[in-house]
Amino acid sequence: MEKKGLIVAVDGHSSTGKSTVSKILAARLGYTYIDTGAMYRIVTLKAMREGLIKDGNVDDEKLKEVLPTIIFGFKYNEGKKCYESYMNGEYVETAIRGLEVSDNVSLIAALPYVRELLVEKQREMAKEGGVIMDGRECRVPSCRGEVLYDGES
């Protein structure tokens, strides 16, 4: 399989502008943009909709069943000039940025089995190359470059 381009991971501290830079770079290069943080938010939204988070606790057994059924998508909206997040084909960008998801995402992100599956999904999404990955822990073995963005560059 021939690669369509590089796999670039952009990492850095919160609120440094790495998402903005990643999105601009992906759009200009015609690369796929993968927001790894949004993936955790999508899992959180799915868990909330399924009633798997109650009183600060996650129903691990049921989440382990639901997790493999989630299909992550990131699409560029030409009209709005922005990237949008999708879960199983449903537009969820607004929903995953809401307060309720924000209040629960750390519960989901702390689960080792969630982290393992999302890293696997990220590798799958990046396998053909031509990808800009934005977020912490972008672990793709064939990644040809990692940028640590501190907002000063």
Side-chain angles (χ1 to χ4, degrees):
M1 167 189 334
E2 188 175 324
K3 298 244 184 233
K4 294 190 286 185
L6 297 175
I7 299 168
V8 179
V10 181
D11 197 347
H13 299 290
S14 178
S15 302
T16 58
K18 67 182 176 294
S19 293
T20 302
V21 168
S22 298
K23 290 173 184 176
I24 291 169
L25 188 58
R28 287 192 180 162
L29 293 173
Y31 277 24
T32 299
Y33 170 73
I34 300 173
D35 182 345
T36 62
M39 294 175 79
Y40 288 94
R41 290 175 168 275
I42 288 169
V43 173
T44 304
L45 178 64
K46 181 68 169 175
M48 289 168 43
R49 287 181 175 179
E50 298 286 328
L52 306 181
I53 302 175
K54 291 192 173 112
D55 301 320
N57 296 303
V58 178
D59 184 332
D60 287 312
E61 293 310 311
K62 288 186 181 170
L63 183 57
K64 286 177 183 177
E65 291 175 19
V66 168
L67 196 54
T69 69
I70 300 172
I71 299 169
F72 300 90
F74 301 100
K75 298 176 188 169
Y76 187 71
N77 182 322
E78 192 64 48
K80 293 181 181 178
K81 302 285 186 212
C82 67
Y83 285 89
E84 299 172 331
S85 302
Y86 290 79
M87 175 178 66
N88 299 339
E90 174 193 353
Y91 169 83
V92 293
E93 184 65 34
T94 303
I96 66 169
R97 304 297 174 187
L99 187 57
E100 192 175 3
V101 169
S102 294
D103 286 345
N104 288 288
V105 71
S106 62
L107 292 170
I108 298 297
L111 300 171
Y113 63 91
V114 171
R115 298 173 86 76
E116 288 171 18
L117 184 97
L118 292 189
V119 168
E120 182 181 312
K121 294 277 190 186
Q122 291 162 17
R123 288 178 177 167
E124 186 180 301
M125 294 168 82
K127 70 182 173 191
E128 293 181 22
V131 169
I132 305 290
M133 299 184 88
D134 166 19
R136 311 294 294 190
E137 301 182 10
C138 300
R139 297 185 191 130
V140 179
S142 56
C143 182
R144 300 283 299 187
E146 180 172 354
V147 179
L148 178 60
Y149 189 72
D150 61 9
E152 298 292 323
S153 305

